[in-house]
Amino acid sequence: MCTGECSKFVAIPLYVLAAVSVICNIMLFFPDFKTEYAAKDSSGSDQITEEVKYMGGLIGGGILVLIPAIHIHLTSGKNCCANRCGMFLSIGFAAVGVAGAVYSLIIAGLGLTNGPLCCTGTVANCKWGTPFMNSSGSYLTDKDLWKTCVKPENVVEFNVGLFSTLLVAAGIELILCVIQMVNGLFGCICGTCASKKS
């Protein structure tokens, strides 16, 4: 496989993974698919999990991966970037993608470890907090503990599903960006298919 084809192989999945990361991060702002939790409650307390506000999926797995994906994709065609200089630049862009993927990976990991911000007690009289903060992620395997959160409804399943998706997406983005860094190095040293055909 030539370096240009490899770039296309890397870029196309990066587009999809960046879109998935952005969508997951946006959805995390609306637990139980309700907009009311995006605002503070009557006492001024936050109702959104802290890690969601760090926007690991939107900034890290989304924007910081999408920009490199565009340049990496350009190196696969017969245009201004399909040359040694373009492949050299793709190493730098891929490094930005690695940084974004690592950021998204860390935030998703923290989101899973700390658990969601939720209201515990009774529905009529509940207190907002992070009941699983000191569980070191052990709550993930004990579904009976998930009933501790009464509001938003099913918030634990919601957060676990979306943060897990972000974690997997960021892991794959990281692998693809590292592959492109190696591919870019070979393209920089050996040239691209486009330059050999011309």
Side-chain angles (χ1 to χ4, degrees):
M1 181 185 291
C2 78
T3 55
E5 287 174 6
C6 185
S7 292
K8 188 180 282 187
F9 171 79
V10 167
I12 293 171
L14 284 178
Y15 288 134
V16 176
L17 292 166
V20 167
S21 295
V22 168
I23 290 166
C24 285
N25 202 142
I26 291 170
M27 286 177 66
L28 280 164
F29 277 99
F30 307 104
D32 199 23
F33 301 102
K34 293 181 180 174
T35 57
E36 63 187 82
Y37 299 111
K40 293 181 185 280
D41 69 358
S42 56
S43 66
S45 299
D46 285 328
Q47 300 180 86
I48 297 289
T49 303
E50 193 65 29
E51 288 78 17
V52 175
K53 298 176 200 169
Y54 300 153
M55 294 193 274
L58 184 65
I59 296 170
I63 295 168
L64 290 179
V65 169
L66 184 61
I67 293 169
I70 293 167
H71 180 82
I72 291 166
H73 195 206
L74 290 173
T75 61
S76 69
K78 295 179 180 179
N79 50 35
C80 63
C81 298
N83 53 39
R84 290 175 195 260
C85 181
M87 291 304 277
F88 177 74
L89 290 174
S90 80
I91 299 170
F93 278 104
V96 171
V98 166
V102 167
Y103 178 66
S104 183
L105 201 67
I106 290 169
I107 299 303
L110 283 173
L112 283 172
T113 303
N114 295 336
L117 177 72
C118 64
C119 213
T120 57
T122 62
V123 177
N125 185 21
C126 65
K127 184 180 178 184
W128 287 95
T130 49
F132 311 117
M133 177 73 85
N134 298 319
S135 71
S136 301
S138 62
Y139 77 96
L140 293 167
T141 55
D142 188 357
K143 291 191 177 182
D144 290 332
L145 287 175
W146 296 6
K147 295 173 187 169
T148 306
C149 293
V150 293
K151 275 174 43 179
E153 195 174 339
N154 301 318
V155 69
V156 180
E157 295 94 325
F158 189 81
N159 272 27
V160 168
L162 291 172
F163 275 125
S164 296
T165 304
L166 277 173
L167 196 70
V168 171
I172 297 170
E173 286 173 339
L174 178 62
I175 292 166
L176 290 172
C177 286
V178 168
I179 288 170
Q180 179 55 34
M181 289 177 77
V182 174
N183 181 53
L185 182 63
F186 279 110
C188 183
I189 295 168
C190 306
T192 64
C193 298
S195 62
K196 288 176 183 176
K197 288 175 185 174
S198 56

